[in-house]
Amino acid sequence: MTNMLKGKKIVLGITGSIAAYKACYIIRGLIKKGAEVQVVITPAGKEFITPITLSALTSKPVISEFFAQRDGTWNSHVDIGLWADAMLIAPATASTIGKMAHGVADNMLITTYLSMKAPVFVAPAMDLDMYAHPSTQANLDRLRSWGNHIIEPGTGELASHLVGKGRMEEPENIILCLEEYFAGRGGDLLGKTVLITAGPTYEKIDPVRFIGNYSSGKMGIAIADECAARGAKVILVSGPMLQVTHFPMYRHCRVESAAEMYDASVAAFAEADAAIMTAAVADYTPAHVEMEKMKREKTGDLLLALKPTRDIAASLGELKRKDERKVLVGFALETNDETWNAKDKLMRKNLDFIVLNSLKDEGAGFRCDTNKISIIDHKGKNDYPLKPKTEVAEDIVDRLVEVLKNKS
Ligand code: CTP
């Protein structure tokens, strides 16, 4: 992913929450990406983490008091407000959120917030009851209505499953929110909506069994993250997978079967400028789903009757004929006659280009973190070297941007 934080000036507001220690990880992550960080901490924040630790990490004195020394020099919140490219308040307690919502400027963090000219991001951190309280929710709504970005606890997909709302979002996801924001400014997919299908599908046999495949969804997520980082609105339609996405502004539609993926994808394609079909969709599904768990038969083989599923990519290809400004990208995972098969799919499904990976290549395909691809379009074939999937995603999205440009 292109580094969007390089040279960015970030004011990090820290308040009195047990999650204050996580601010260290946020600082480390931001600095690693080339950002400059100025910490402003509340008096309660200092009870949880020392300014010495924070200034060592940021290589800047920490600001906490209105007056720097007893000699009358004072910290100018106005100057900080002008200096910053973004302000991030993490962790933000219920008390600080309340003060921000009502202009109670009794500490340096709130005065800085009130003088801030840059976008403000708020990562709440508190226990579940405090977070759910109407007072906290009303204050957050108020901040939202002024254009502040609330990084809700559990924004990361994994977090939403594992922890209760209220706990601060993980540092790496908070950093991704900032990256996404900066990418949105000047990203080459700004204003575009991209539909991405990812992962396997599960075709139900009975209440406890299914037919599935080994797709991890990693390639799809890498492409979705890359599109979001470049400013696209992403609609991710995913089959069952463990893979997580960190970008908060995804529209994520989780499905299980090929039929559900078909419905979700056709609906989303209507508003999409482009669709990238990375999902490993089952070609067949059981003709009948047993309502009860199937029993082991005493003798003989078990024969399962299967019926074909609908081809999602081909259906979108048909829909595309009504609007050829849309871009449709397919994937082909082949074991033999790779190029011929891929070209056949390119034509049959009315794709703009197809990404071919061969299972013959070591380190390519399912469950790997790397991939080796060729991109085939109506003019020819480009081969790329073995790379991490995140970099492969950049190559694919570069090509997508090029095709979108040529069509506009
Ligand atoms: N695809 C799809 N819906 C299906 C089957 C495939 O959208 N029911 C998409 C895949 O996401 C991929 C492309 O079509 O982008 C090619 O998938 P693949 O399984 O290789 O192609 P099939 O057409 O199923 O051909 P075959 O299984 O015969 O190789």
Side-chain angles (χ1 to χ4, degrees):
M1 191 194 301
T2 331
N3 185 1
M4 295 291 168
L5 286 168
K6 197 156 191 282
K8 292 287 185 296
K9 299 185 177 78
I10 315 284
V11 171
L12 176 62
I14 302 175
T15 72
S17 153
I18 192 71
Y21 76 93
K22 289 195 180 172
C24 294
Y25 297 101
I26 297 175
I27 294 170
R28 200 174 60 178
L30 290 172
I31 287 185
K32 222 162 119 187
K33 295 200 180 250
E36 235 182 291
V37 182
Q38 171 65 61
V39 170
V40 180
I41 193 166
T42 63
K46 284 194 282 187
E47 302 290 331
F48 289 88
I49 188 155
T50 73
I52 295 169
T53 310
L54 298 166
S55 64
L57 285 170
T58 57
S59 313
K60 282 186 201 299
V62 166
I63 297 173
S64 65
E65 311 293 336
F66 288 114
F67 301 99
Q69 278 138 17
R70 289 183 181 277
D71 61 2
T73 49
W74 64 302
N75 288 315
S76 168
H77 48 90
V78 178
D79 288 347
I80 308 169
L82 290 169
W83 173 83
D85 293 310
M87 180 177 193
L88 165 65
I89 302 166
T93 57
S95 161
T96 289
I97 290 166
K99 287 181 187 178
M100 288 166 71
H102 296 278
V104 184
D106 66 349
N107 64 42
M108 198 53 200
L109 192 151
I110 305 292
T111 51
T112 304
Y113 167 68
L114 294 177
S115 306
M116 190 49 60
K117 296 275 175 274
V120 178
F121 295 79
V122 183
M126 63 201 76
D127 74 55
L128 186 57
D129 292 330
M130 285 176 84
Y131 184 73
H133 196 280
S135 154
T136 308
Q137 289 303 318
N139 287 335
L140 285 172
D141 282 345
R142 221 159 169 208
L143 296 184
R144 266 189 210 102
S145 72
W146 299 333
N148 295 159
H149 304 264
I150 311 299
I151 305 173
E152 289 203 46
T155 296
E157 293 298 330
L158 187 64
S160 61
H161 292 299
L162 298 184
V163 301
K165 289 240 171 200
R167 197 174 114 162
M168 189 175 80
E169 184 49 89
E170 291 305 327
E172 63 268 28
N173 293 350
I174 292 176
I175 291 168
L176 273 166
C177 288
L178 292 178
E179 282 188 288
E180 186 184 23
Y181 175 80
F182 286 119
R185 327 261 100 185
D188 47 14
L189 283 175
L190 196 61
K192 299 288 181 205
T193 300
V194 183
L195 159 69
I196 291 152
T197 66
T201 61
Y202 284 2
E203 306 305 318
K204 232 184 192 142
I205 298 171
D206 70 13
V208 296
R209 300 182 183 92
F210 62 84
I211 300 171
N213 61 65
Y214 289 127
S215 168
S216 63
K218 279 185 182 158
M219 195 63 244
I221 293 290
I223 291 174
D225 280 349
E226 180 65 20
C227 288
R230 290 159 77 151
K233 185 173 142 202
V234 172
I235 308 175
L236 178 67
V237 178
S238 76
M241 60 188 199
L242 292 171
Q243 211 55 37
V244 295
T245 159
H246 305 293
F247 279 91
M249 286 142 193
Y250 274 17
R251 189 179 340 145
H252 193 166
C253 179
R254 291 164 205 281
V255 297
E256 191 174 288
S257 64
E260 287 168 8
M261 190 174 274
Y262 177 91
D263 290 341
S265 303
V266 168
F269 193 59
E271 58 181 291
D273 299 289
I276 307 180
M277 318 304 285
T278 77
V281 188
D283 288 325
Y284 291 91
T285 190
H288 306 285
V289 180
E290 298 294 333
M291 298 313 278
E292 307 292 343
K293 185 180 162 203
M294 286 167 74
K295 291 289 175 205
R296 188 190 172 103
E297 298 292 336
K298 295 238 159 26
T299 51
D301 298 338
L302 171 70
L303 291 176
L304 269 182
L306 302 176
K307 61 177 183 190
T309 58
R310 279 193 284 192
D311 188 320
I312 305 167
S315 306
L316 300 193
E318 281 311 308
L319 291 172
K320 197 182 77 152
R321 291 189 199 282
K322 289 186 209 123
D323 183 359
E324 282 292 347
R325 279 168 311 173
K326 292 188 195 259
V327 178
L328 185 59
V329 180
F331 268 68
L333 182 67
E334 305 291 343
T335 54
N336 59 294
D337 301 325
E338 290 93 340
T339 307
W340 193 92
N341 279 325
K343 274 190 184 152
D344 178 55
K345 284 174 193 173
L346 176 78
M347 306 299 291
R348 231 177 343 107
K349 304 191 187 201
N350 190 25
L351 308 173
D352 290 275
F353 65 89
I354 188 157
V355 181
L356 165 67
N357 33 104
S358 167
L359 273 185
K360 278 188 194 149
D361 292 317
E362 200 157 316
F366 281 156
R367 293 197 286 191
C368 303
D369 287 322
T370 51
N371 206 356
K372 185 165 177 293
I373 60 155
S374 304
I375 292 183
I376 300 175
D377 65 10
H378 297 276
K379 291 197 196 107
K381 178 168 175 254
N382 277 64
D383 298 321
Y384 295 78
L386 185 74
K387 293 178 179 187
K389 282 187 173 169
T390 47
E391 288 175 28
V392 174
E394 280 179 40
D395 292 336
I396 295 168
V397 177
D398 279 347
R399 178 62 79 95
L400 172 71
V401 168
E402 209 181 293
V403 179
L404 274 168
K405 250 189 218 140
N406 288 342
K407 287 196 178 193
S408 66

